[in-house]
Amino acid sequence: KQKAIEKSDPFTSQRRYYRKDVKLDCQYRPVGLSQKVLLPGNITDISLGGIGMEIDTKNTTSYSHMKGDSFVVTIVLPNNQNLELEAKIVAVTKGESYGVLRLGMSITEISSGSRKALGFFLMP
């Protein structure tokens, strides 16, 4: 009976994309700064609405990483597609290892090409 309920739920039948756990290196910089400023990060999960990123706390010495700060994030997907998007920090927590911060970020801007590439990557 449980499976029948799940299949008839209109929300699960319409969902096309999921949050995917990944391990992707990325580079990011504060919005408005030169492209020469590149900070390293590691994407741990990604969806069409946001990303989870782990960073070294050293990245926070020169640039603010507070809730509300926005960054341009560049990611290369496993299928060699390049993504560039703007994301705003919505949560900052300590990472599992010493010297690591975990950023929960909401995607605020993404080109249609990057959105399409990300959508294909997220399909089950």
Side-chain angles (χ1 to χ4, degrees), residues 10-92:
F11 295 108
T12 55
S13 63
Q14 289 176 0
R15 185 189 294 169
R16 292 174 32 214
Y17 306 107
Y18 300 88
R19 177 166 294 277
K20 195 176 246 190
D21 289 329
V22 294
K23 279 218 177 295
L24 298 173
D25 290 332
C26 70
Q27 295 182 318
Y28 71 102
R29 63 183 160 82
V31 167
L33 280 188
S34 159
Q35 292 186 356
K36 292 177 185 164
V37 175
L38 288 175
L39 301 168
N42 189 309
I43 304 292
T44 56
D45 62 74
I46 190 166
S47 73
L48 279 176
I51 56 177
M53 179 165 51
E54 288 185 342
I55 62 161
D56 191 309
T57 52
K58 291 179 200 152
N59 293 2
T60 63
T61 53
S62 301
Y63 304 101
S64 170
H65 285 71
M66 306 290 288
K67 208 169 169 177
D69 290 341
S70 290
F71 296 90
V72 175
V73 183
T74 308
I75 308 161
V76 179
L77 295 175
N79 60 5
N80 286 329
Q81 291 278 330
N82 288 317
L83 294 185
E84 187 171 280
L85 53 91
E86 261 183 44
K88 180 169 64 173
I89 296 177
V90 293
V92 180

